[in-house]
Amino acid sequence: MDKFNSIPAIPFEGPNSKNPFAFKFYDKDRIVLGKKMSEHLPFAMSWWHNLGAGGTDMFGRDTIDKRFGAKEKGTMEHAKAKVDAGFEFMKKLGIEYFCFHDVDLVPEAADIKETNRRLDEISDYMLLKMKQTGIKCLWGTANMFSNPRFMNGAGSTNSVDVYCFAAAQIKKALDITVKLGGRGYVFWGGREGYETLLNTDVKFEIDNIARLMHMAVDYGRSIGFKGDFYIEPKPKEPSKHQYDFDAATAINFLRTYGLDKDFKLNIEANHATLAGHTFEHELRISAINGMLGSIDANEGDPQLGWDVDRFPADVYTATYAMLEVVENGGLTGGFNFDAKTRRPSNTYEDMFLAFILGMDTYALGLLNAEKIIQDGRLAEFKKEKYSSFESELGKKIVSGKANLVELSKRAEELGDAKAPGSGSQEYLEAVVNQILFGK
Ligand code: XUL
Ligand code: CO
């Protein structure tokens, strides 16, 4: 039975359409920079927000009923209703992937053996739906932050028993990810951080996280997982100090512990905001280190200091993000809408409208990136800016063959060096506006 009877499959109707249930910019087969839009933008639905979150916040209970026809939440009947709703939802929007935590799929039982049995049961059902619809799994992960046992961390816990539970959840989540053919496996260290040094051995905790990740790689590869592992950096919330603060911190961790061959990064826009970075900064730092793997496509709020997980609406940010993605040659992962409707947007219609907004925003970002690349002025400016390094001496420096003695000699010959020309930020911003809004 359909869960969203009143909502039709969402067509592309173009920028002049006033039909709320139509894409204005996401035209999946349109060729952009030599590839279909849908190939540039492998969108994914997050199981937790879309099928789980009901609008509860710290001050109030659910505003939207996400039982999807099941009698009660927290039952296997509800878990199956979520599968039915999820696949119908993705099919109607033309979304090809989903992402999940283990406990998004089934209610956690009192005994892990029963939780794992439930995961086997639900993943059989999901496989069936995947075969019927062609929808695929982008990535899986284990929720090692909600249960009170993880209050002192998962990989960073002080308890061997809790560490074993983290290991067991990762093992099972990897089993399910492989069973569903997932392209990736994510570590977001929700409780991997600390509040105060007064009670924390930081080095011991980080070493132990790395040990657990090595075990995950060894096990994953042993059961045939060929995809990427990802770290998803976030600077704070829930912990005050999260160990995976930002892309640069996570890359340093991966290299220090020899995990960099198996891992890439899953960059979330809202987490970049919390770290005091722009989204495109995080994407660039990942990309230049060969570690841009996947994206959690949402939006933060510059005025709020917490993770709001809004659907992306900011076209400038999407444009700069897509420039990074295109320059990177795409993603090995995809664009997961780790986003939820606002608490007062409490209808099933709002769920669809939110995805239409997000998908159209990224489509606009891609179309704008194409225009900026084809215009060429930005690339030309940058080339010119660094052109002095194309001189004989410049080339010697770049090839690593120069030394301080000869460079000092050149400085002395010159006597003085002039300021190296304008950065022209205002001009370049005006160029972007002209490209975006000029006819
Ligand atoms: C939390 C967050 C997570 C990860 C997966 O801020 O982004 O949902 O994406 O655990
Ligand atoms: Co996320």
PDB file of all heavy atoms in Angstrom, residues 48-49 101 139 141-142 145 186-188 232 234 237 266 268 271 296 298 307 309 336 338, ligand 1:
ATOM      1  N   TRP A  48      17.697   8.187   8.920  1.00  0.00           N
ATOM      2  CA  TRP A  48      17.385   8.706  10.256  1.00  0.00           C
ATOM      3  C   TRP A  48      16.499   9.937  10.220  1.00  0.00           C
ATOM      4  O   TRP A  48      15.463   9.975  10.888  1.00  0.00           O
ATOM      5  CB  TRP A  48      18.666   8.936  11.071  1.00  0.00           C
ATOM      6  CG  TRP A  48      19.726   9.801  10.450  1.00  0.00           C
ATOM      7  CD1 TRP A  48      20.002  11.090  10.739  1.00  0.00           C
ATOM      8  CD2 TRP A  48      20.686   9.402   9.450  1.00  0.00           C
ATOM      9  NE1 TRP A  48      21.061  11.544   9.987  1.00  0.00           N
ATOM     10  CE2 TRP A  48      21.502  10.530   9.190  1.00  0.00           C
ATOM     11  CE3 TRP A  48      20.933   8.237   8.743  1.00  0.00           C
ATOM     12  CZ2 TRP A  48      22.547  10.507   8.255  1.00  0.00           C
ATOM     13  CZ3 TRP A  48      21.976   8.205   7.817  1.00  0.00           C
ATOM     14  CH2 TRP A  48      22.752   9.331   7.585  1.00  0.00           C
ATOM     15  N   HIS A  49      16.889  10.926   9.414  1.00  0.00           N
ATOM     16  CA  HIS A  49      16.094  12.153   9.403  1.00  0.00           C
ATOM     17  C   HIS A  49      14.766  11.946   8.691  1.00  0.00           C
ATOM     18  O   HIS A  49      13.713  12.331   9.176  1.00  0.00           O
ATOM     19  CB  HIS A  49      16.842  13.283   8.696  1.00  0.00           C
ATOM     20  CG  HIS A  49      17.891  13.925   9.536  1.00  0.00           C
ATOM     21  ND1 HIS A  49      17.697  14.220  10.862  1.00  0.00           N
ATOM     22  CD2 HIS A  49      19.148  14.346   9.245  1.00  0.00           C
ATOM     23  CE1 HIS A  49      18.786  14.788  11.349  1.00  0.00           C
ATOM     24  NE2 HIS A  49      19.679  14.870  10.398  1.00  0.00           N
ATOM     25  N   HIS A 101      22.102   4.297   9.690  1.00  0.00           N
ATOM     26  CA  HIS A 101      22.753   3.750  10.882  1.00  0.00           C
ATOM     27  C   HIS A 101      22.040   2.438  11.199  1.00  0.00           C
ATOM     28  O   HIS A 101      20.840   2.315  10.927  1.00  0.00           O
ATOM     29  CB  HIS A 101      22.568   4.640  12.115  1.00  0.00           C
ATOM     30  CG  HIS A 101      23.087   6.030  12.004  1.00  0.00           C
ATOM     31  ND1 HIS A 101      22.378   7.040  11.432  1.00  0.00           N
ATOM     32  CD2 HIS A 101      24.236   6.590  12.452  1.00  0.00           C
ATOM     33  CE1 HIS A 101      23.073   8.173  11.508  1.00  0.00           C
ATOM     34  NE2 HIS A 101      24.207   7.926  12.123  1.00  0.00           N
ATOM     35  N   TRP A 139      25.932   4.466   1.788  1.00  0.00           N
ATOM     36  CA  TRP A 139      26.795   4.036   2.874  1.00  0.00           C
ATOM     37  C   TRP A 139      26.003   3.635   4.110  1.00  0.00           C
ATOM     38  O   TRP A 139      24.857   4.040   4.293  1.00  0.00           O
ATOM     39  CB  TRP A 139      27.875   5.050   3.229  1.00  0.00           C
ATOM     40  CG  TRP A 139      27.520   6.487   3.498  1.00  0.00           C
ATOM     41  CD1 TRP A 139      27.704   7.540   2.634  1.00  0.00           C
ATOM     42  CD2 TRP A 139      26.992   7.088   4.712  1.00  0.00           C
ATOM     43  NE1 TRP A 139      27.314   8.721   3.232  1.00  0.00           N
ATOM     44  CE2 TRP A 139      26.874   8.472   4.506  1.00  0.00           C
ATOM     45  CE3 TRP A 139      26.607   6.569   5.946  1.00  0.00           C
ATOM     46  CZ2 TRP A 139      26.395   9.348   5.470  1.00  0.00           C
ATOM     47  CZ3 TRP A 139      26.116   7.444   6.929  1.00  0.00           C
ATOM     48  CH2 TRP A 139      26.019   8.812   6.671  1.00  0.00           C
ATOM     49  N   THR A 141      26.480   2.872   8.532  1.00  0.00           N
ATOM     50  CA  THR A 141      27.284   3.227   9.701  1.00  0.00           C
ATOM     51  C   THR A 141      26.633   2.638  10.949  1.00  0.00           C
ATOM     52  O   THR A 141      25.506   2.147  10.892  1.00  0.00           O
ATOM     53  CB  THR A 141      27.440   4.760   9.838  1.00  0.00           C
ATOM     54  OG1 THR A 141      28.362   5.050  10.894  1.00  0.00           O
ATOM     55  CG2 THR A 141      26.116   5.457  10.142  1.00  0.00           C
ATOM     56  N   ALA A 142      27.374   2.679  12.046  1.00  0.00           N
ATOM     57  CA  ALA A 142      26.832   2.206  13.322  1.00  0.00           C
ATOM     58  C   ALA A 142      26.586   3.416  14.219  1.00  0.00           C
ATOM     59  O   ALA A 142      27.449   4.296  14.316  1.00  0.00           O
ATOM     60  CB  ALA A 142      27.814   1.249  13.986  1.00  0.00           C
ATOM     61  N   PHE A 145      26.514   6.443  19.523  1.00  0.00           N
ATOM     62  CA  PHE A 145      26.433   7.678  20.312  1.00  0.00           C
ATOM     63  C   PHE A 145      25.131   7.815  21.102  1.00  0.00           C
ATOM     64  O   PHE A 145      25.083   8.532  22.085  1.00  0.00           O
ATOM     65  CB  PHE A 145      26.622   8.920  19.408  1.00  0.00           C
ATOM     66  CG  PHE A 145      25.895   8.865  18.092  1.00  0.00           C
ATOM     67  CD1 PHE A 145      24.588   9.316  17.975  1.00  0.00           C
ATOM     68  CD2 PHE A 145      26.519   8.349  16.966  1.00  0.00           C
ATOM     69  CE1 PHE A 145      23.913   9.263  16.756  1.00  0.00           C
ATOM     70  CE2 PHE A 145      25.850   8.286  15.741  1.00  0.00           C
ATOM     71  CZ  PHE A 145      24.553   8.743  15.636  1.00  0.00           C
ATOM     72  N   VAL A 186      30.783   4.781   6.955  1.00  0.00           N
ATOM     73  CA  VAL A 186      31.115   6.064   7.609  1.00  0.00           C
ATOM     74  C   VAL A 186      31.410   5.905   9.102  1.00  0.00           C
ATOM     75  O   VAL A 186      30.757   5.116   9.795  1.00  0.00           O
ATOM     76  CB  VAL A 186      29.947   7.068   7.423  1.00  0.00           C
ATOM     77  CG1 VAL A 186      30.058   8.253   8.376  1.00  0.00           C
ATOM     78  CG2 VAL A 186      29.928   7.584   5.980  1.00  0.00           C
ATOM     79  N   PHE A 187      32.405   6.660   9.556  1.00  0.00           N
ATOM     80  CA  PHE A 187      32.611   6.870  10.985  1.00  0.00           C
ATOM     81  C   PHE A 187      32.369   8.337  11.288  1.00  0.00           C
ATOM     82  O   PHE A 187      33.155   9.193  10.868  1.00  0.00           O
ATOM     83  CB  PHE A 187      34.059   6.550  11.392  1.00  0.00           C
ATOM     84  CG  PHE A 187      34.366   5.095  11.511  1.00  0.00           C
ATOM     85  CD1 PHE A 187      34.784   4.363  10.400  1.00  0.00           C
ATOM     86  CD2 PHE A 187      34.253   4.450  12.725  1.00  0.00           C
ATOM     87  CE1 PHE A 187      35.074   3.021  10.504  1.00  0.00           C
ATOM     88  CE2 PHE A 187      34.544   3.098  12.848  1.00  0.00           C
ATOM     89  CZ  PHE A 187      34.958   2.380  11.733  1.00  0.00           C
ATOM     90  N   TRP A 188      31.270   8.623  11.942  1.00  0.00           N
ATOM     91  CA  TRP A 188      31.127   9.955  12.543  1.00  0.00           C
ATOM     92  C   TRP A 188      31.269   9.745  14.056  1.00  0.00           C
ATOM     93  O   TRP A 188      30.498   9.001  14.658  1.00  0.00           O
ATOM     94  CB  TRP A 188      29.771  10.604  12.229  1.00  0.00           C
ATOM     95  CG  TRP A 188      29.580  11.810  13.111  1.00  0.00           C
ATOM     96  CD1 TRP A 188      30.379  12.916  13.148  1.00  0.00           C
ATOM     97  CD2 TRP A 188      28.602  11.995  14.135  1.00  0.00           C
ATOM     98  NE1 TRP A 188      29.943  13.783  14.130  1.00  0.00           N
ATOM     99  CE2 TRP A 188      28.854  13.238  14.752  1.00  0.00           C
ATOM    100  CE3 TRP A 188      27.527  11.222  14.589  1.00  0.00           C
ATOM    101  CZ2 TRP A 188      28.077  13.737  15.793  1.00  0.00           C
ATOM    102  CZ3 TRP A 188      26.749  11.711  15.637  1.00  0.00           C
ATOM    103  CH2 TRP A 188      27.030  12.959  16.217  1.00  0.00           C
ATOM    104  N   GLU A 232      33.750  11.407   9.048  1.00  0.00           N
ATOM    105  CA  GLU A 232      32.938  12.617   8.869  1.00  0.00           C
ATOM    106  C   GLU A 232      33.331  13.601   9.966  1.00  0.00           C
ATOM    107  O   GLU A 232      32.912  13.463  11.118  1.00  0.00           O
ATOM    108  CB  GLU A 232      31.449  12.249   8.966  1.00  0.00           C
ATOM    109  CG  GLU A 232      30.536  13.431   8.714  1.00  0.00           C
ATOM    110  CD  GLU A 232      29.052  13.034   8.766  1.00  0.00           C
ATOM    111  OE1 GLU A 232      28.696  11.940   8.313  1.00  0.00           O
ATOM    112  OE2 GLU A 232      28.268  13.850   9.278  1.00  0.00           O
ATOM    113  N   LYS A 234      33.607  16.733  12.501  1.00  0.00           N
ATOM    114  CA  LYS A 234      32.673  17.680  13.150  1.00  0.00           C
ATOM    115  C   LYS A 234      33.391  18.227  14.378  1.00  0.00           C
ATOM    116  O   LYS A 234      33.976  17.454  15.136  1.00  0.00           O
ATOM    117  CB  LYS A 234      31.385  16.957  13.547  1.00  0.00           C
ATOM    118  CG  LYS A 234      30.322  17.876  14.140  1.00  0.00           C
ATOM    119  CD  LYS A 234      29.017  17.115  14.411  1.00  0.00           C
ATOM    120  CE  LYS A 234      27.945  18.051  14.937  1.00  0.00           C
ATOM    121  NZ  LYS A 234      26.686  17.340  15.258  1.00  0.00           N
ATOM    122  N   GLU A 237      29.662  19.208  19.483  1.00  0.00           N
ATOM    123  CA  GLU A 237      28.287  18.711  19.538  1.00  0.00           C
ATOM    124  C   GLU A 237      28.199  17.280  19.052  1.00  0.00           C
ATOM    125  O   GLU A 237      28.274  17.057  17.865  1.00  0.00           O
ATOM    126  CB  GLU A 237      27.337  19.590  18.707  1.00  0.00           C
ATOM    127  CG  GLU A 237      25.878  19.420  19.113  1.00  0.00           C
ATOM    128  CD  GLU A 237      24.916  19.700  17.986  1.00  0.00           C
ATOM    129  OE1 GLU A 237      24.669  18.774  17.224  1.00  0.00           O
ATOM    130  OE2 GLU A 237      24.426  20.819  17.886  1.00  0.00           O
ATOM    131  N   ASN A 266      33.959  12.218   4.519  1.00  0.00           N
ATOM    132  CA  ASN A 266      32.579  12.575   4.199  1.00  0.00           C
ATOM    133  C   ASN A 266      32.371  13.965   4.800  1.00  0.00           C
ATOM    134  O   ASN A 266      32.307  14.118   6.021  1.00  0.00           O
ATOM    135  CB  ASN A 266      31.615  11.554   4.808  1.00  0.00           C
ATOM    136  CG  ASN A 266      30.169  11.888   4.511  1.00  0.00           C
ATOM    137  OD1 ASN A 266      29.838  12.274   3.390  1.00  0.00           O
ATOM    138  ND2 ASN A 266      29.291  11.746   5.499  1.00  0.00           N
ATOM    139  N   GLU A 268      30.437  17.274   5.707  1.00  0.00           N
ATOM    140  CA  GLU A 268      29.073  17.802   5.905  1.00  0.00           C
ATOM    141  C   GLU A 268      29.111  19.325   5.971  1.00  0.00           C
ATOM    142  O   GLU A 268      29.895  19.914   6.726  1.00  0.00           O
ATOM    143  CB  GLU A 268      28.463  17.227   7.190  1.00  0.00           C
ATOM    144  CG  GLU A 268      27.098  17.828   7.476  1.00  0.00           C
ATOM    145  CD  GLU A 268      26.287  17.065   8.515  1.00  0.00           C
ATOM    146  OE1 GLU A 268      26.382  15.833   8.561  1.00  0.00           O
ATOM    147  OE2 GLU A 268      25.571  17.727   9.274  1.00  0.00           O
ATOM    148  N   HIS A 271      28.681  20.900   9.428  1.00  0.00           N
ATOM    149  CA  HIS A 271      29.840  20.695  10.303  1.00  0.00           C
ATOM    150  C   HIS A 271      30.951  21.695   9.971  1.00  0.00           C
ATOM    151  O   HIS A 271      31.678  22.139  10.861  1.00  0.00           O
ATOM    152  CB  HIS A 271      30.364  19.261  10.181  1.00  0.00           C
ATOM    153  CG  HIS A 271      29.373  18.227  10.629  1.00  0.00           C
ATOM    154  ND1 HIS A 271      29.629  16.872  10.547  1.00  0.00           N
ATOM    155  CD2 HIS A 271      28.126  18.345  11.156  1.00  0.00           C
ATOM    156  CE1 HIS A 271      28.578  16.202  11.017  1.00  0.00           C
ATOM    157  NE2 HIS A 271      27.657  17.075  11.384  1.00  0.00           N
ATOM    158  N   ASP A 296      27.743  15.142   2.977  1.00  0.00           N
ATOM    159  CA  ASP A 296      26.447  15.243   3.643  1.00  0.00           C
ATOM    160  C   ASP A 296      25.899  16.618   3.302  1.00  0.00           C
ATOM    161  O   ASP A 296      26.378  17.655   3.811  1.00  0.00           O
ATOM    162  CB  ASP A 296      26.570  15.039   5.162  1.00  0.00           C
ATOM    163  CG  ASP A 296      26.395  13.572   5.537  1.00  0.00           C
ATOM    164  OD1 ASP A 296      26.404  12.721   4.627  1.00  0.00           O
ATOM    165  OD2 ASP A 296      26.239  13.264   6.732  1.00  0.00           O
ATOM    166  N   ASN A 298      23.730  19.419   3.486  1.00  0.00           N
ATOM    167  CA  ASN A 298      22.734  20.132   4.283  1.00  0.00           C
ATOM    168  C   ASN A 298      23.196  21.569   4.434  1.00  0.00           C
ATOM    169  O   ASN A 298      24.057  22.032   3.676  1.00  0.00           O
ATOM    170  CB  ASN A 298      22.499  19.447   5.639  1.00  0.00           C
ATOM    171  CG  ASN A 298      23.753  19.392   6.498  1.00  0.00           C
ATOM    172  OD1 ASN A 298      24.755  20.048   6.205  1.00  0.00           O
ATOM    173  ND2 ASN A 298      23.710  18.616   7.555  1.00  0.00           N
ATOM    174  N   ASP A 307      24.012  22.238  15.349  1.00  0.00           N
ATOM    175  CA  ASP A 307      23.810  21.515  14.103  1.00  0.00           C
ATOM    176  C   ASP A 307      22.329  21.535  13.739  1.00  0.00           C
ATOM    177  O   ASP A 307      21.545  20.793  14.317  1.00  0.00           O
ATOM    178  CB  ASP A 307      24.284  20.068  14.376  1.00  0.00           C
ATOM    179  CG  ASP A 307      24.631  19.305  13.135  1.00  0.00           C
ATOM    180  OD1 ASP A 307      24.600  19.907  12.049  1.00  0.00           O
ATOM    181  OD2 ASP A 307      24.946  18.115  13.257  1.00  0.00           O
ATOM    182  N   ASP A 309      21.009  21.057  10.608  1.00  0.00           N
ATOM    183  CA  ASP A 309      20.682  20.084   9.546  1.00  0.00           C
ATOM    184  C   ASP A 309      19.520  20.537   8.659  1.00  0.00           C
ATOM    185  O   ASP A 309      18.573  19.793   8.415  1.00  0.00           O
ATOM    186  CB  ASP A 309      20.354  18.706  10.157  1.00  0.00           C
ATOM    187  CG  ASP A 309      21.599  17.980  10.636  1.00  0.00           C
ATOM    188  OD1 ASP A 309      22.716  18.399  10.279  1.00  0.00           O
ATOM    189  OD2 ASP A 309      21.459  16.992  11.376  1.00  0.00           O
ATOM    190  N   ASN A 336      24.456  12.946   0.334  1.00  0.00           N
ATOM    191  CA  ASN A 336      23.454  12.448   1.261  1.00  0.00           C
ATOM    192  C   ASN A 336      22.770  13.630   1.953  1.00  0.00           C
ATOM    193  O   ASN A 336      23.441  14.431   2.612  1.00  0.00           O
ATOM    194  CB  ASN A 336      24.140  11.543   2.291  1.00  0.00           C
ATOM    195  CG  ASN A 336      23.258  11.251   3.482  1.00  0.00           C
ATOM    196  OD1 ASN A 336      22.087  10.934   3.330  1.00  0.00           O
ATOM    197  ND2 ASN A 336      23.824  11.373   4.683  1.00  0.00           N
ATOM    198  N   ASP A 338      21.678  14.788   4.723  1.00  0.00           N
ATOM    199  CA  ASP A 338      21.639  14.632   6.186  1.00  0.00           C
ATOM    200  C   ASP A 338      20.911  15.874   6.709  1.00  0.00           C
ATOM    201  O   ASP A 338      21.509  16.767   7.316  1.00  0.00           O
ATOM    202  CB  ASP A 338      23.067  14.541   6.732  1.00  0.00           C
ATOM    203  CG  ASP A 338      23.081  14.142   8.200  1.00  0.00           C
ATOM    204  OD1 ASP A 338      21.992  14.012   8.778  1.00  0.00           O
ATOM    205  OD2 ASP A 338      24.183  13.973   8.756  1.00  0.00           O
TER     206      ASP A 338
HETATM  207  C1  XUL B   1      25.703  14.108  13.065  1.00  0.00           C
HETATM  208  C2  XUL B   1      25.790  13.530  11.711  1.00  0.00           C
HETATM  209  C3  XUL B   1      25.528  12.066  11.591  1.00  0.00           C
HETATM  210  C4  XUL B   1      26.399  11.393  10.592  1.00  0.00           C
HETATM  211  C5  XUL B   1      26.259   9.893  10.575  1.00  0.00           C
HETATM  212  O1  XUL B   1      25.977  15.444  13.128  1.00  0.00           O
HETATM  213  O2  XUL B   1      26.022  14.238  10.766  1.00  0.00           O
HETATM  214  O3  XUL B   1      24.195  11.869  11.303  1.00  0.00           O
HETATM  215  O4  XUL B   1      26.161  11.859   9.315  1.00  0.00           O
HETATM  216  O5  XUL B   1      26.446   9.319  11.807  1.00  0.00           O
END
